[in-house]
Amino acid sequence: MVIIGPRECVVTVKALVVHVSRASGRRLQVERLRRSLPLAVEVIDAVDGLRLSDADIRRVVVSGLHRPRYPFVLSRTEAACFLSHRKAWQAILDDGLDAGLVIEDDAAIAAPEFAAVLGAAVAGLELDEFVRFPHRERNESGPVVRLRGPARFLEPRLPALGMVMQLVGREAARKLLDASRTFDRPVDSFVQMHWLHTARVLTVRPIVIGEICGQLGGSMIHPPHTGIAHKIIREVRRPLIRLAVYRENNRRRRAA
C-alpha cells in the first residue's frame, strides 16, 4: 500500500500477520485476512512456545527487570508472543517499510469503514508512532490528538492491553526493538510503559476490528487455570500493576 499524504511524503506499508505454523485451525483465517486486507500481506512465522527451551527463555526473560515490578511469572507462551512481535517489528526494518500493520491471526475485520480508518491512520502516521486498533471498548482516557476522515486518535494515559492489530511506524519499531532485547512481562504490558521505549502510543476510534479467538479454539497464550487461589491472586494484583504503571507514566510525562 502506498499513500501520498498532505505533506507529500510517501508511506509504504505491509500487513504482517503473526501466525504459529502448527496452528492449523487458524490457517483459513489467515487466508481470509490475506484476501480482505487492502495491503500486501506477509505471514510472520511466529515463535512457538512449545519449542522454546529453558535456555531460550533465560536468554530473553529477566525477572524483575523493570519497575514497577511485574507481579506474575511470565509464561513460556507469553515469552513466545513477545518474541513473535519482535520478529514483526524487525521485519518492518528489514523490508525497508515505513510502517507495518502487525496483526495477530485471530483478528477479524468487523466494520465496513475499516479501510477508511486504516487509510486515515496511514496517511497521518508519524514514523515514531504505534497506533493501536482495539477490538473492544476499554476505559482509555487521554486527549484526542488527531482527527482525520472518519477516525480520531487518542493518546491514552495508560494504553489498554491487547495486541490484536497495530500500525507500527519504522522508528517506533526500532525503539521497541532496542528497548526489549530482554523483558520481564507480556508484550502489551511492555508497550504500556512509555518511558522504556519512547514510541508514541495512540489508539484509534471507531472500533473496526474484532477478535475471534474463541471461534478458533481459544487462546494460544494463556493456558486455562482452574485453581481458585490462582484466579484470586491475579484479580487482586492486576489492578495494582495497572495503577502503578499509570502513575509512573504520568509522573514521567509531567517531568519531561
Side-chain angles (χ1 to χ4, degrees):
M1 182 181 194
V2 177
I3 291 182
I4 300 177
R7 293 163 296 177
E8 309 220 326
C9 57
V10 176
V11 179
T12 55
V13 187
K14 182 189 291 185
L16 304 167
V17 178
V18 179
H19 171 66
V20 176
S21 59
R22 69 175 168 84
S24 57
R26 297 187 175 212
R27 289 175 193 159
L28 181 59
Q29 175 59 15
V30 171
E31 290 308 309
R32 290 192 191 103
L33 288 169
R34 191 190 297 276
R35 291 193 301 268
S36 58
L37 287 166
L39 299 169
V41 174
E42 176 182 343
V43 178
I44 299 295
D45 187 13
V47 176
D48 190 340
L50 295 182
R51 296 179 180 175
L52 283 179
S53 68
D54 291 342
D56 293 331
I57 298 291
R58 287 194 297 270
R59 276 193 288 271
V60 294
V61 176
V62 180
S63 181
L65 179 63
H66 299 302
R67 296 291 183 275
R69 186 183 178 94
Y70 188 66
F72 307 112
V73 176
L74 197 68
S75 73
R76 190 174 300 270
T77 48
E78 287 171 326
C81 179
F82 203 133
L83 292 171
S84 299
H85 279 271
R86 279 182 52 84
K87 284 185 72 172
W89 301 337
Q90 187 64 55
I92 294 170
L93 303 184
D94 292 346
D95 292 353
L97 301 174
D98 290 315
L101 185 68
V102 181
I103 309 170
E104 294 185 340
D105 63 2
D106 54 3
I109 295 172
E113 62 267 39
F114 171 82
V117 171
L118 174 60
V122 172
L125 185 73
E126 300 289 344
L127 297 184
D128 67 343
E129 289 178 348
F130 178 104
V131 180
R132 299 181 59 257
F133 284 70
H135 68 279
R136 60 183 176 184
E137 286 290 349
R138 297 288 182 90
N139 186 24
E140 289 180 302
S141 61
V144 173
V145 297
R146 187 178 304 149
L147 294 169
R148 195 176 187 98
R152 63 188 188 277
F153 298 85
L154 173 78
E155 188 166 17
R157 296 182 179 90
L158 181 68
L161 298 178
M163 298 287 287
V164 178
M165 182 181 292
Q166 316 89 46
L167 182 66
V168 184
R170 180 178 64 241
E171 292 307 314
R174 194 185 311 278
K175 289 180 175 186
L176 291 161
L177 284 166
D178 287 346
S180 64
R181 291 186 175 95
T182 56
F183 49 86
D184 64 354
R185 63 197 68 206
V187 60
D188 51 357
S189 297
F190 165 78
V191 168
Q192 288 183 318
M193 301 169 74
H194 174 265
W195 68 92
L196 292 181
H197 53 77
T198 72
R200 189 185 194 194
V201 180
L202 304 180
T203 296
V204 66
R205 291 291 193 278
I207 292 174
V208 291
I209 67 164
E211 187 251 25
I212 58 171
C213 175
Q215 299 174 38
L216 300 173
S219 173
M220 297 187 68
I221 298 176
H222 300 291
H225 295 283
T226 56
I228 187 67
H230 174 89
K231 292 179 180 178
I232 291 172
I233 289 170
R234 289 193 73 89
E235 289 306 309
V236 169
R237 290 179 177 175
R238 272 182 188 155
L240 295 178
I241 184 63
R242 282 199 296 266
L243 179 61
V245 173
Y246 175 85
R247 287 176 170 171
E248 188 64 13
N249 265 335
N250 282 346
R251 184 185 74 80
R252 290 178 182 259
R253 280 175 172 151
R254 285 195 300 268

